[in-house]
Amino acid sequence: NKNRVWVYEHVGENNLNAIADRVKFMAAGSECKWIFIDHIHMISAAGGENETSEINKIMHKFRELCEELDISIDGNKGHENGAEINLSHLRGSHVIAQIADSVIGLERNQQAEDESEARTTKLRVLKNRYSGEVGDAGSIIYDTVTGRLTELDLSDMEITEETIL
């Protein structure tokens, strides 16, 4: 299980071409197939005054890289207070939703009083060009002791009045 995750912190590096070069290196040199960009708006903020135009450029560049390198890139956007996410919530430019083959939203109520709920993230497929299947894709919970995410099997949960509320 070595070399499964590679992290590149691009804080301060907002040049799209430099980030594209890093993505190419990660795909070719480290054999990465999934690359997560957190977050696209930090790149666009440095690129110019028109955020929508900058996001369009970024998404087109990322799309080119996906095709060229046979990889997937995720520009992660979350819903921090547990609200259900949909494609219209993607900030800045609708081209993010238009150009992507798949869009997966993450929902988590970080402010929940219940600790388990605050550590649980719901996955929602918002777009799936391959099969068309969209909707709830399950939930994962963060284990504060191990630092791992574990898929929740909701069929194993006991249904009580508390779990419904």
Side-chain angles (χ1 to χ4, degrees):
N1 291 334
K2 293 182 179 181
N3 298 326
R4 292 185 60 180
V5 176
W6 294 89
V7 178
Y8 170 66
E9 188 174 340
H10 71 86
V11 175
E13 179 60 70
N14 294 326
N15 178 291
L16 180 56
N17 289 327
I19 292 172
D21 287 344
R22 177 57 65 170
V23 167
K24 287 179 183 181
F25 172 78
M26 293 176 85
S30 301
E31 299 179 0
C32 295
K33 288 294 186 186
W34 286 88
I35 296 176
F36 296 86
I37 309 284
D38 186 22
H39 60 84
I40 290 170
H41 298 291
M42 286 183 72
I43 302 169
S44 71
E49 293 183 27
N50 185 331
E51 181 182 43
T52 300
S53 174
E54 292 303 315
I55 291 173
N56 289 348
K57 288 180 197 173
I58 293 165
M59 291 306 297
H60 282 284
K61 183 65 165 180
F62 287 168
R63 178 63 186 205
E64 289 173 12
L65 290 171
C66 287
E67 296 294 325
E68 174 187 340
L69 303 169
D70 191 28
I71 61 170
S72 296
I73 296 178
D74 176 10
N76 189 15
K77 295 290 292 175
H79 263 210
E80 296 82 11
N81 294 318
E84 185 174 308
I85 190 170
N86 63 55
L87 287 175
S88 67
H89 293 153
L90 299 176
R91 187 179 133 218
S93 171
H94 201 65
V95 78
I96 295 171
Q98 292 171 338
I99 205 165
D101 287 330
S102 301
V103 178
I104 301 171
L106 305 175
E107 305 165 4
R108 180 167 69 99
N109 186 358
Q110 296 174 343
Q111 307 304 316
E113 290 185 26
D114 178 73
E115 181 185 342
S116 291
E117 182 183 348
R119 293 185 293 113
T120 300
T121 300
K122 185 174 187 176
L123 302 141
R124 184 176 307 281
V125 178
L126 303 173
K127 179 179 180 181
N128 182 345
R129 191 169 282 167
Y130 300 110
S131 70
E133 295 176 274
V134 296
D136 185 8
S139 296
I140 52 178
I141 188 164
Y142 177 73
D143 186 321
T144 57
V145 175
T146 66
R148 294 180 181 255
L149 293 170
T150 305
E151 183 177 5
L152 286 178
D153 184 356
L154 298 180
S155 65
D156 291 340
M157 291 181 64
E158 182 180 339
I159 304 299
T160 66
E161 187 174 326
E162 287 180 356
T163 59
I164 294 172
L165 298 174

